[in-house]
Amino acid sequence: MQARLIGLDWGTSTLRAYRIGDNGEVLEARELPLGIMQVADQRFEQALDTACGDWRTAQPDVPLIACGMVGSAQGWREAPYCPAPATQQDIARHLVTVPLANGNRLQIIPGVLQNGRLPNVMRGEETQVVGVLDTLAPVQPVLIGLPGTHSKWVRVEEGCIRHFDTFMTGELYAAACAHTILGRTQQPSDQFQAAAFDRGLDVALSSEGALGPLATVFSTRTLGLTGALRADEQPDYLSGLMIGHEVAALRAIRAPSSIVLVGNGALCQRYQRALERAGVSRIQTAHQATERGLWLLALAAGLVHP
């Protein structure tokens, strides 16, 4: 089947390429360790050829569109942020064009900037949000959660990105395990220690957690010292504690009760477990959000047609 579009999810460490056919169907997908930090001497077009040069040779004129850190100041070409509030059409109007050696062009999707006293940005997640919105009722307020190194929580109303918050939960968890005293007594486990994870959630969601994570994370060590947590339970306890504080913050800002999670399956399961323990029942999980978002933004920009 002929491709209608080549879509790229080009992040810091990984390049994912999608050959996309009619109605946004993914015909073929590839993943390579060619994120922007692995591309030497700005050889981005060479990396592009490594990822999908055969697709381009077979169809030299197929449109190309990319999202993610490839549009950052450290990427191939900087795509200035689209200001929030932002709709699918707003984002599509801010595409940045990169000419390619064969005469074709790559379109880079901008991130979204939420300006204010404490500015916030996303780059790549906006494409996932667009992909999710295609499956939802257009007017319903919804909170889209994108767990990860820097978790994003995006409030969407009437198909528009209205507000989003960033939690550095993933990065701080990794740093705490690797570079603080909490890691000294931990022992990684191949098994998910559910009871320890739930214990961390309960602390964060209780009155004991009201002081915030800075006042509770040390309990990972003290519960170990007193024998209440085994070494192999401590990583999941800390994970539950930090995710629980993130969920508690969402509860404090009165986030919409309808939530959609996007991302790594195992991580989304942890967040779903945390949300359910906090009393949230309307939780969905979205799949292929990036691929769908690439297609929809290409449609909105007129690169492809229904």
Side-chain angles (χ1 to χ4, degrees):
M1 186 181 295
Q2 291 287 296
R4 300 281 305 282
L5 179 72
I6 292 175
L8 306 166
D9 177 9
W10 206 330
T12 302
S13 57
T14 304
L15 168 57
R16 297 178 179 89
Y18 306 100
R19 195 167 70 90
I20 301 173
D22 290 338
N23 299 315
E25 178 187 359
V26 177
L27 306 175
E28 190 176 351
R30 295 171 179 170
E31 181 174 327
L32 297 90
L34 288 174
I36 64 165
M37 301 307 291
Q38 281 72 45
V39 178
D41 302 323
Q42 295 290 305
R43 295 177 181 174
F44 287 100
E45 189 156 1
Q46 182 177 325
L48 177 63
D49 282 337
T50 300
C52 57
D54 55 332
W55 299 348
R56 297 178 63 206
T57 299
Q59 292 181 256
D61 297 327
V62 67
L64 294 95
I65 191 168
C67 70
M69 292 300 289
V70 69
S72 70
Q74 295 75 39
W76 191 344
R77 182 73 57 83
E78 186 171 7
Y81 291 106
C82 174
T87 64
Q88 174 180 314
Q89 290 71 27
D90 294 330
I91 296 168
R93 282 194 291 268
H94 284 75
L95 296 184
V96 169
T97 302
V98 178
L100 302 176
N102 71 344
N104 203 341
R105 297 180 298 175
L106 170 69
Q107 303 293 335
I108 297 181
I109 298 167
V112 173
L113 166 66
Q114 178 177 278
N115 223 329
R117 192 165 65 90
L118 296 176
N120 212 336
V121 296
M122 65 171 77
R123 196 178 283 281
E125 293 92 350
E126 76 293 322
T127 302
Q128 293 176 294
V129 170
V130 168
V132 170
L133 291 180
D134 187 50
T135 67
L136 301 176
V139 180
Q140 177 188 12
V142 65
L143 189 67
I144 300 176
L146 302 108
T149 304
H150 298 161
S151 297
K152 303 287 184 184
W153 291 92
V154 186
R155 185 186 181 103
V156 176
E157 296 177 8
E158 298 181 344
C160 181
I161 296 173
R162 294 289 181 190
H163 179 86
F164 57 96
D165 295 289
T166 301
F167 293 82
M168 291 180 60
T169 308
E171 185 169 4
L172 292 178
Y173 171 78
C177 291
H179 302 293
T180 75
I181 198 168
L182 301 183
R184 298 292 181 88
T185 56
Q186 291 183 8
Q187 178 181 317
S189 173
D190 293 332
Q191 301 295 320
F192 174 50
Q193 303 294 334
F197 181 80
D198 289 346
R199 184 172 187 164
L201 290 177
D202 289 343
V203 170
L205 296 170
S206 72
S207 58
E208 295 172 294
L211 294 177
L214 294 180
T216 60
V217 293
F218 192 62
S219 65
T220 307
R221 176 171 173 80
T222 55
L223 288 171
L225 291 174
T226 57
L229 280 179
R230 300 192 311 269
D232 64 339
E233 292 177 317
Q234 292 173 31
D236 282 321
Y237 170 80
L238 180 60
S239 172
L241 190 64
M242 297 186 78
I243 290 174
H245 279 295
E246 187 176 333
V247 169
L250 297 177
R251 194 168 58 180
I253 62 174
R254 299 180 182 178
S257 59
S258 180
I259 291 179
V260 181
L261 295 174
V262 185
N264 174 273
L267 189 55
C268 283
Q269 287 177 7
R270 290 185 180 233
Y271 274 80
Q272 181 162 349
R273 190 180 185 101
L275 289 162
E276 289 173 348
R277 211 163 181 90
V280 180
S281 57
R282 296 170 60 191
I283 307 169
Q284 303 175 58
T285 302
H287 303 282
Q288 292 193 323
T290 301
E291 300 93 304
R292 189 67 187 162
L294 289 165
W295 171 259
L296 291 170
L297 287 167
L299 275 175
L303 302 178
V304 294
H305 301 282

